[in-house]
Amino acid sequence: MMTASFSGAPNIVFVFSDQHRGDALGCAGNSVVTTPHLDSLAAEGVLFRNGQTSSPLCMPARASLLSGEYVNAHGVWGSRHEMEPSCPSHVRNVQNAGYCTALFGKTHFKVPQVDDGHVREHEDFLHNLGYEVAHQVHETPSSSSSCYYSDFLAGRKKQQVRDSSLALWKYGQGNKTLRPWEHLPWQLEEDEHIDAYIAGKAIEWIQSYKDPRPFYLQVNLVGPHPPFDPPIRFRDMFRPEDMPSAIMDLPAEPMSPLVRTMLERRGVANMSESQSRLMKSHYYAKIAYDDEIIGQVIQSLIEQGLMDNTWIIYTSDHGEMLGDHRLVQKVVFYEGAQNIPLIIRPPGGTDPWVVNGLADHYDIVSTILDVANGAPLENDHGVSLAPKIQAGKDAANAQGGKEVSFSEVRHCSMARTDKYKMAIDSITREPLELYDMENDPDELENLVSEPSLSALREEMQRKYFDELLTNMNMPQLEVSIAGGIPSAIHQDYPEY
């Protein structure tokens, strides 16, 4: 099957999940997880197997995907930092190219505060970024910080049940905090799940769209981010004993401060292999649920006859450690948190193939702007993947990728090539981690102090990190060092 030709500007549907690790896809070779709809998307498109996040944390990654800027340049180093209102926005450039731009779901561009009010009171911020239609949800709405989803639950008199479930996940019961394998399944009706709500609103919009302009639609799901709470029928699809165990080895010494901090805060040092498998079964169940939700969105495009004139892109903000190296969640540069799914289906589909070269969030931004014929961003760090996809699997560079991919979080920066991954302190430039990704794909041995690799470390500093850190946003760095913007809502769960 060759890519179909089309007249006029194509539509773009960008499905963006939260915390989906790149190896948790059937089309990526995982024989245990169940992702038939994403697999079908890949069967008519291209899977980039070595997709890399711009940051293994929600807010920095989302800021880079919006702006196309490196984390050190936009300055959103963590979950208590915000983009400047005047920041670049690829969405704005797509809108200026003649598109109707629409968002349904999670944004996480701003630090949630007590008494934030309703999201509709802050829509000017999203409109200024280029979103013509903005239907935003909070994953943790409260009585003083509400959204369209909390309105929906209140209308069904279900908000209290949802609040109780979230409180149990975040704070535990009594003096006992729930461990990741103890998350409860969804407590409400299936159509009341936040991701079902997001997809349902996006589908309604697709079905009612009559504007002659092409559209750029973002469907920003909340899952499979914790809690791992899909409806019970999805949990019944997976048996813990069928799950592969996590990488049970502790992080290698010398341990970087970033890894040590997360091991202390989010470590599961006493986790058994059976608990590891139980956690993985719950995570895979939530991925299976979100896959079904994504399938509903794709079906709506099919029913509206839009598949021959629509690019579909699926990715996530970052991965999930899922017990690897005795860690859960993210905020480290290990592949569990760093590697993300990336599937792109062009209009009409194409002969499928898997690209093993590196691709990242910055490439996604460049691809979207390319296919929309939008003006490039001032600081463009990506390479459009559209020409590669249109050239086909037999083209000379079908397996090629970028030479280096960068990722940053909490004043640490990482450079990843096909062979090596190196992390440094972004302020002092001190090397912190070095892994040989060809010979040690599980990242069991930190080679940062290996004398024989000193020349390699110096070369990577000079060749990559000097380039990466050229335009450090010093005002934002000072805000970050001071602790960022206090968050009364999330102060007890800083990595949310």
Side-chain angles (χ1 to χ4, degrees):
M1 177 170 47
M2 296 300 294
T3 303
S5 61
F6 51 85
S7 59
N11 303 308
I12 307 166
V13 176
F14 182 33
V15 183
F16 187 51
S17 64
D18 192 327
Q19 213 149 314
H20 186 173
R21 55 186 281 160
D23 62 4
L25 282 170
C27 55
N30 189 318
S31 61
V32 181
V33 74
T34 302
T35 54
H37 300 288
L38 288 171
D39 296 349
S40 293
L41 203 63
E44 296 183 353
V46 181
L47 169 68
F48 294 84
R49 185 63 189 85
N50 279 309
Q52 298 286 306
T53 181
S54 51
S55 176
L57 184 59
C58 294
M59 288 189 71
R62 289 163 188 268
S64 287
L65 248 175
L66 174 71
S67 69
E69 292 188 322
Y70 291 141
V71 172
N72 75 81
H74 61 60
V76 183
W77 288 98
S79 290
R80 296 188 180 185
H81 314 91
E82 291 184 349
M83 297 270 323
E84 297 170 351
S86 59
C87 70
S89 168
H90 82 267
V91 181
R92 188 186 299 122
N93 289 20
V94 171
Q95 183 184 44
N96 290 340
Y99 276 69
C100 176
T101 54
L103 159 76
F104 294 88
K106 173 181 176 177
T107 61
H108 212 173
F109 294 145
K110 299 182 72 63
V111 177
Q113 299 285 335
V114 167
D115 298 325
D116 255 355
H118 198 281
V119 293
R120 71 171 65 91
E121 299 169 27
H122 307 283
E123 282 181 2
D124 281 350
F125 175 75
L126 294 177
H127 293 324
N128 288 335
L129 294 177
Y131 292 102
E132 182 176 334
V133 177
H135 194 91
Q136 185 182 184
V137 305
H138 292 321
E139 59 267 59
T140 54
S142 68
S143 58
S144 60
S145 181
S146 55
C147 66
Y148 299 107
Y149 176 60
S150 52
D151 295 344
F152 165 75
L153 290 181
R156 292 197 176 190
K157 301 188 179 352
K158 298 290 184 69
Q159 183 64 55
Q160 176 96 33
V161 179
R162 173 67 172 155
D163 289 348
S164 297
S165 296
L166 285 172
L168 181 62
W169 162 59
K170 289 177 68 176
Y171 308 119
Q173 194 166 33
N175 295 321
K176 183 178 181 296
T177 301
L178 288 185
R179 295 172 296 180
W181 48 87
E182 295 175 329
H183 295 172
L184 298 177
W186 185 246
Q187 302 295 298
L188 304 178
E189 299 298 322
E190 280 195 25
D191 69 342
E192 294 167 342
H193 196 285
I194 189 167
D195 282 343
Y197 174 82
I198 292 167
K201 288 299 178 183
I203 289 168
E204 288 177 10
W205 187 83
I206 291 169
Q207 291 173 338
S208 64
Y209 190 75
K210 304 299 181 188
D211 197 307
R213 295 175 295 168
F215 62 77
Y216 173 38
L217 169 64
Q218 288 188 1
V219 184
N220 293 3
L221 302 178
V222 173
H225 189 291
F228 304 147
D229 63 347
I232 191 67
R233 70 180 175 93
F234 290 89
R235 284 204 172 177
D236 291 343
M237 293 167 56
F238 299 92
R239 300 190 310 167
E241 56 267 32
D242 294 334
M243 301 294 117
S245 180
I247 300 169
M248 304 294 281
D249 304 70
L250 281 165
E253 296 286 359
M255 198 182 302
S256 75
L258 198 66
V259 171
R260 192 175 301 280
T261 296
M262 288 309 295
L263 189 63
E264 292 171 354
R265 291 187 178 183
R266 299 285 176 256
V268 284
N270 297 319
M271 175 185 68
S272 67
E273 288 204 10
S274 62
Q275 290 166 337
S276 161
R277 292 187 175 97
L278 180 60
M279 174 173 55
K280 188 165 290 187
S281 73
H282 292 171
Y283 179 68
Y284 281 8
K286 190 151 187 188
I287 288 173
Y289 173 66
D290 278 325
D291 179 82
E292 182 169 296
I293 292 295
I294 292 165
Q296 294 170 9
V297 175
I298 295 171
Q299 183 61 33
S300 71
L301 296 171
I302 293 172
E303 291 171 356
Q304 297 300 311
L306 296 171
M307 295 294 279
D308 285 343
N309 193 30
T310 300
W311 286 83
I312 303 175
I313 302 172
Y314 175 74
T315 194
S316 195
D317 52 358
H318 50 74
E320 156 66 52
M321 286 305 296
L322 206 62
D324 286 347
H325 303 288
R326 300 282 174 171
L327 294 165
V328 293
Q329 294 205 34
K330 55 260 187 174
V331 204
V332 291
F333 295 124
Y334 288 124
E335 284 297 280
Q338 184 65 31
N339 180 218
I340 51 172
L342 176 53
I343 302 169
I344 303 180
R345 179 201 182 273
T350 188
D351 289 333
W353 81 97
V354 177
V355 175
N356 292 313
L358 294 172
D360 59 24
H361 280 165
Y362 301 107
D363 296 332
I364 296 172
V365 173
S366 297
T367 303
I368 291 169
L369 288 170
D370 183 16
V371 301
N373 199 28
L377 294 164
E378 183 177 349
N379 296 310
D380 184 357
H381 303 302
V383 177
S384 173
L385 303 172
K388 178 191 292 290
I389 294 168
Q390 292 170 324
K393 65 181 181 180
D394 296 323
N397 195 39
Q399 283 300 324
K402 63 200 315 179
E403 177 184 343
V404 61
S405 180
F406 295 115
S407 186
E408 304 171 272
V409 69
R410 284 191 177 172
H411 317 137
C412 294
S413 298
M414 184 273 286
R416 167 82 151 89
T417 67
D418 287 336
K419 182 166 176 56
Y420 290 106
K421 175 188 291 185
M422 180 172 164
I424 67 168
D425 183 303
S426 309
I427 301 172
T428 67
R429 307 292 180 94
E430 176 192 0
L432 302 173
E433 298 176 79
L434 179 64
Y435 298 100
D436 182 335
M437 300 305 296
E438 287 185 354
N439 297 311
D440 181 23
D442 287 342
E443 300 165 288
L444 299 176
E445 185 178 6
N446 184 1
L447 302 173
V448 74
S449 300
E450 172 59 41
S452 65
L453 296 176
S454 60
L456 170 70
R457 292 190 291 272
E458 291 173 8
E459 180 187 15
M460 293 188 74
Q461 287 272 19
R462 182 180 63 257
K463 188 175 182 180
Y464 300 131
F465 291 109
D466 286 354
E467 170 199 337
L468 171 68
L469 300 171
T470 297
N471 297 310
M472 182 96 72
N473 186 327
M474 298 309 295
Q476 281 287 84
L477 178 62
E478 291 172 4
V479 169
S480 180
I481 292 172
I485 301 169
S487 170
I489 291 180
H490 292 165
Q491 63 185 354
D492 296 321
Y493 200 77
E495 308 313 333
Y496 185 76

